[in-house]
Amino acid sequence: MDSQTSQSSQAPQSPHTFQVDLHGLVDLLSHHLYSSPKVYLRELLQNAVDAVTARRAEQPEAPALVRLFAQDGTLRVEDSGIGLTEADVHSLLATIGRSSKRGDALESARSDFLGQFGIGLLACFVVAERIRVVSRSARTPDAPPVEWTATDDGSYTVRTLPHEARAEPGTTVHLVARPGAADWLAEDRVLALAREFGSLLPYDVRVGDEAVTDLPAPWNRPYPGPAARRVALARHCAGLFGFEPLDSIDLDVPLAGIRGVAYVLPSAVSPAQRAGHRVHLKGMLLTERADQLLPDWAFFVRCVLDTDSLRPTASRESLYEDETLAAVREALGERIRSWLTGLAAGDPERLAAFLSVHHLGVKSLARHDSAMLRTMLPWLPFETTDGRLSLEEFARRHPVVHFTRTVEEYRQVAPIASAQGVGVVNGGYTYDSELVEALPSVRPGTVVAELDADTVTAHLDAVDPAQELALSAFLGAARAKLDPLGCDVVLRAFHPLSVPALHLDDRAARHEQARAEAEEQADDLWAGILGSLRGSAPRARLVLNHLNPLVRRISSLGDPELIGTATESLYGQALLMAQRPLRPADSALLNRAFIGLLEWATHSDSPEEGRR
C-alpha cells in the first residue's frame, strides 16, 4: 500500500530533520515520562478519539469510528476525525519542536490539540522505527490529503497526495516496529491493550472485527434490582481487581463530572498502604495507580471511575494535584461517609461485617469527624476489661472511663483493675486513645481519665498497719534489693489471689529511669547535666499481694539474702506478666534470681535450711 501511494503521489519533498534530538526525546519518553512502552497504544487511541471529538463538535452527525489493524510487525490506525491539512502538519511539527526542547514543556503542550497529537505520535517511536501519517481535513474538504513520514533517525518528509489517496476526512497512522518490539504490535497484544485503555470510550472502536468498548459502564447499566446490581458489580470488581468486595459504594459527583464505584476490600490492610485506583478521563484509562484520589482514611476501598474534570500530568499516567482534585477528594470522601452512616441507620448487620474487618479506617475518620464518631459510637469495637465493647456501652457501665495509652500499660493493670471493679479501655492501639479522649465532646457528661500507677494503687486495699509493721524487716530487705533498679516495694491486698506481685509504672517513671541509666553511663560532664535534669516523678513500684500464699511464705523468711533472691524473682515474674520489654539490667536480674533459687533448692548447709 505504501509503494502504490508513493508512485501515484506528487514528487516528495527533500527529507527534513526534527529540530530536536529525537533519540534523546525517545529516551525521555520511554525512561522518564512513560512507565511502559504500552502507552504508545493509548496515545494512538487518544489522538484518534480527540480527532473524532473535534469533528463531531463541528459536524454532530459525522461518523465516530476508530479501527486498528495489526499484521506482521505493523499497525494501522484509522479514524473518522477532523483530519489535517498541510498547514496543520507544519504547525504540528513546530509544536513538537517547541514542546520537546524541555521536558517540563511537555505538559503545556498537552493543553493544545495539535500538541497532544504531536507528543502522542512521538510516543510511538518507543516501539516503532517508522511512522507514516495520511490525513484529510474535514474543516477544509477541498484541501488535498497530506502525508507525513518520519523515521527514528530524526528525518521526515511532508508531501500532499492526490485527492483519491484518501476519499473521506480522517487520519490513518501506519507504524513499522523497531527491532525487538514486534510483539507490541501483535494483534492479540494490541487488542488487549486497546480494551485495557479504551473500554469506556464513547465511540465505536474495534481491533479488526473485535469490539473494544463495553458500554454502558457497569455502574451505569440498568439492573432488575439492588441485589442483581450488587452481584454484577461484585463480578466486575473480581475481574478488574481480583477480589470479591464486601460491598460497593456509588461515586456520583455530577458537578465534578464523576461517575464510578468504590469497592470495599474483603480483608484488612495497613493504613500506610496506598491503594491504587483506576481513573478514566473522558472514557480513556488514565491510570490504575491513582493514590491521591481519596482521603487517607479511606484506605479500605479501591475505586474505578470516569471523569471529565480532573487534570492529567504530562505523561497522562497520573493526576495533577490542584484545587479541583482536592475538591473531588473531599466529595468522594463524603460519599463514603454517607454510605457508612446509611449502614448504621438501616443495615446494622452489614455494618458489623464491615467493621469486623475495617474498624481501623473508620476510627481514623472518626478522629477528625465528630459526626462520624457520634454515629459510630455504638458500633466501633475497643478492647476493655469488660471484653470487646463499644465506647457507648462501656461508658454506660462505668462512671469514669479509664484508659491507658500503651498496650503494655493495659496488660499491667487489666487483670487487677477488672478484679477491683475499675473499667479500663486499652488505648494503645492505633487511634484508640485519641477517640477515648474525644468521647466527652460527643457524649456530654462522660468522664474520661488516663489510668496511672497512683490510680491503680489507690484502688488496692491497704494492709492492716500492725501487720505491715510486723513485716517491716522483710519490706526493708526487699526495698534495698530493688532500689538500684529504680523500683519501690509496697504491700497491698488485692484480687485475684493468684497474682503474687504487680509491677506498676508510668511514662514519667520510665523517663526518670532512662535518665538515671544514661547518667550512670555518661562521662563527668554529661553526668552533671543529666543529674541536673533529675525529676521528682514517682518511681516504678512492685506491689506485693498480701493475700497471695506465696508472698506470705516469703515474708516469713528470716534470711535477708534469701528474701532478696525471692524479691528479684517476684519482680522478674511481674515484668514478664506485664509483657514489658526487658532492659539489660532486668535480664541480668532474672538470670541471677533463677540461679540463686536453684542454688538454694539444691545446696543446704543444715537440716534447718533444707526444711526452709
Side-chain angles (χ1 to χ4, degrees):
M1 179 176 177
D2 290 354
S3 61
Q4 292 175 354
T5 303
S6 298
Q7 292 171 2
S8 61
S9 65
Q10 299 177 6
Q13 299 178 4
S14 59
H16 302 276
T17 303
F18 284 105
Q19 298 191 12
V20 295
D21 176 7
L22 186 56
H23 289 290
L25 185 58
V26 171
D27 178 73
L28 170 67
L29 295 172
S30 60
H31 294 105
H32 301 285
L33 189 64
Y34 296 127
S35 61
S36 166
K38 70 179 183 179
V39 298
Y40 88 91
L41 192 67
R42 184 197 62 197
E43 296 294 349
L44 286 174
L45 283 177
Q46 188 69 62
N47 286 341
V49 168
D50 286 345
V52 171
T53 301
R55 183 178 180 186
R56 287 172 69 88
E58 300 179 9
Q59 305 172 14
E61 301 303 319
L65 306 174
V66 179
R67 297 290 184 265
L68 297 89
F69 303 94
Q71 184 178 15
D72 299 331
T74 65
L75 176 64
R76 186 172 84 254
V77 181
E78 300 177 353
D79 69 67
S80 58
I82 195 68
L84 301 169
T85 64
E86 183 177 9
D88 291 333
V89 170
H90 287 294
S91 177
L92 161 65
L93 298 177
T95 301
I96 293 177
R98 288 196 307 269
S99 63
S100 303
K101 291 176 183 177
R102 298 184 308 273
D104 58 2
L106 290 172
E107 184 176 337
S108 63
R110 283 294 191 178
S111 63
D112 176 76
F113 171 73
L114 291 178
Q116 292 186 27
F117 187 85
I119 300 302
L121 282 180
L122 288 180
C124 295
F125 277 120
V126 174
V127 298
E129 66 177 4
R130 181 168 174 263
I131 302 174
R132 177 171 169 263
V133 178
V134 177
S135 186
R136 183 166 186 171
S137 175
R139 287 195 181 105
T140 314
D142 294 336
V146 61
E147 177 192 70
W148 173 61
T149 303
T151 58
D152 59 1
D153 64 1
S155 64
Y156 68 89
T157 60
V158 179
R159 62 177 181 173
T160 57
L161 303 177
H163 286 275
E164 60 269 17
R166 183 174 179 100
E168 297 295 328
T171 300
T172 301
V173 178
H174 303 261
L175 301 186
V176 177
R178 64 168 55 243
D183 286 347
W184 288 106
L185 273 61
E187 184 175 20
D188 56 347
R189 176 72 69 91
V190 170
L191 177 60
L193 293 178
R195 285 176 171 166
E196 176 183 350
F197 289 118
S199 61
L200 299 184
L201 289 174
Y203 304 134
D204 182 3
V205 182
R206 296 178 181 272
V207 176
D209 295 327
E210 297 287 338
V212 168
T213 53
D214 184 21
L215 295 177
W219 51 85
N220 283 334
R221 295 172 188 169
Y223 296 99
R229 187 175 190 274
R230 191 175 299 123
V231 170
L233 290 178
R235 189 181 305 116
H236 174 250
C237 177
L240 198 63
F241 294 123
F243 64 85
E244 293 284 342
L246 282 179
D247 207 346
S248 57
I249 308 167
D250 282 326
L251 302 178
D252 188 4
V253 187
L255 292 178
I258 286 177
R259 187 80 172 94
V261 63
Y263 293 116
V264 181
L265 294 167
S267 56
V269 294
S270 166
Q273 180 178 331
R274 304 291 296 225
H277 308 293
R278 291 177 64 94
V279 177
H280 296 256
L281 182 59
K282 298 178 181 178
M284 182 71 71
L285 178 65
L286 181 70
T287 179
E288 52 190 356
R289 297 186 302 275
D291 60 2
Q292 73 273 49
L293 187 65
L294 296 181
D296 290 341
W297 56 261
F299 53 82
F300 50 83
V301 299
R302 294 281 300 276
C303 297
V304 54
L305 55 84
D306 189 24
T307 175
D308 57 16
S309 64
L310 296 179
R311 179 183 171 192
T313 59
S315 66
R316 299 179 63 82
E317 294 186 281
S318 60
L319 298 171
Y320 191 84
E321 186 68 50
D322 58 10
E323 293 181 357
T324 301
L325 180 57
V328 166
R329 185 185 300 123
E330 179 59 32
L332 294 180
E334 184 57 37
R335 292 294 182 273
I336 299 175
R337 283 191 189 93
S338 299
W339 171 77
L340 283 170
T341 55
L343 287 186
D347 200 338
E349 290 185 2
R350 284 172 65 198
L351 178 63
F354 166 76
L355 289 177
S356 67
V357 178
H358 295 298
H359 56 274
L360 201 58
V362 179
K363 287 180 177 180
S364 175
L365 169 61
R367 288 183 305 155
H368 307 296
D369 189 326
S370 58
M372 181 57 63
L373 177 58
R374 188 179 295 107
T375 300
M376 291 292 114
L377 266 181
W379 308 102
L380 286 174
F382 289 78
E383 182 180 357
T384 77
T385 49
D386 291 356
R388 199 160 180 82
L389 295 176
S390 70
L391 287 181
E392 176 71 28
E393 176 63 24
F394 188 83
R396 282 201 297 264
R397 296 185 183 186
H398 298 278
V400 178
V401 178
H402 290 99
F403 73 98
T404 63
R405 291 192 182 276
T406 68
V407 174
E408 290 79 8
E409 290 172 350
Y410 177 80
R411 288 169 178 166
Q412 280 183 337
V413 303
I416 309 304
S418 179
Q420 305 304 124
V422 179
V424 184
V425 177
N426 184 355
Y429 296 113
T430 306
Y431 311 132
D432 283 9
S433 62
E434 297 173 71
L435 293 175
V436 175
E437 289 181 296
L439 189 56
S441 67
V442 296
R443 196 178 189 274
T446 303
V447 179
V448 172
E450 183 177 355
L451 190 67
D452 56 22
D454 289 335
T455 304
V456 176
T457 306
H459 279 82
L460 304 180
D461 295 334
V463 177
D464 181 82
Q467 290 181 313
E468 187 165 0
L469 182 61
L471 297 175
S472 58
F474 160 73
L475 291 173
R479 287 165 181 156
K481 197 66 176 178
L482 295 186
D483 184 68
L485 295 172
C487 182
D488 292 331
V489 177
V490 297
L491 189 66
R492 293 289 187 273
F494 56 86
H495 293 273
L497 300 180
S498 58
V499 178
L502 178 66
H503 181 271
L504 294 176
D505 64 2
D506 52 26
R507 288 190 304 279
R510 289 193 293 274
H511 175 75
E512 174 62 20
Q513 194 174 61
R515 186 209 58 77
E517 290 177 355
E519 182 180 354
E520 290 179 1
Q521 300 173 7
D523 56 28
D524 292 342
L525 173 61
W526 281 108
I529 295 174
L530 290 170
S532 68
L533 298 177
R534 183 179 295 111
S536 59
R539 304 203 305 171
R541 66 197 69 175
L542 181 68
V543 184
L544 300 179
N545 187 0
H546 188 57
L547 300 180
N548 180 266
L550 177 61
V551 172
R552 285 180 175 272
R553 288 197 296 272
I554 293 173
S555 65
S556 66
L557 294 173
D559 184 350
E561 184 177 346
L562 190 53
I563 290 175
T565 300
T567 302
E568 288 181 331
S569 300
L570 290 174
Y571 174 84
Q573 189 263 355
L575 284 180
L576 294 175
M577 288 293 293
Q579 301 183 41
R580 292 291 304 277
L582 298 181
R583 301 169 298 159
D586 297 330
S587 299
L589 176 145
L590 280 172
N591 183 63
R592 183 172 63 248
F594 178 71
I595 297 299
L597 289 175
L598 284 179
E599 289 180 348
W600 178 70
T602 57
H603 296 83
S604 58
D605 296 331
S606 68
E608 182 181 355
E609 290 181 357
R611 284 193 298 274
R612 287 191 298 179

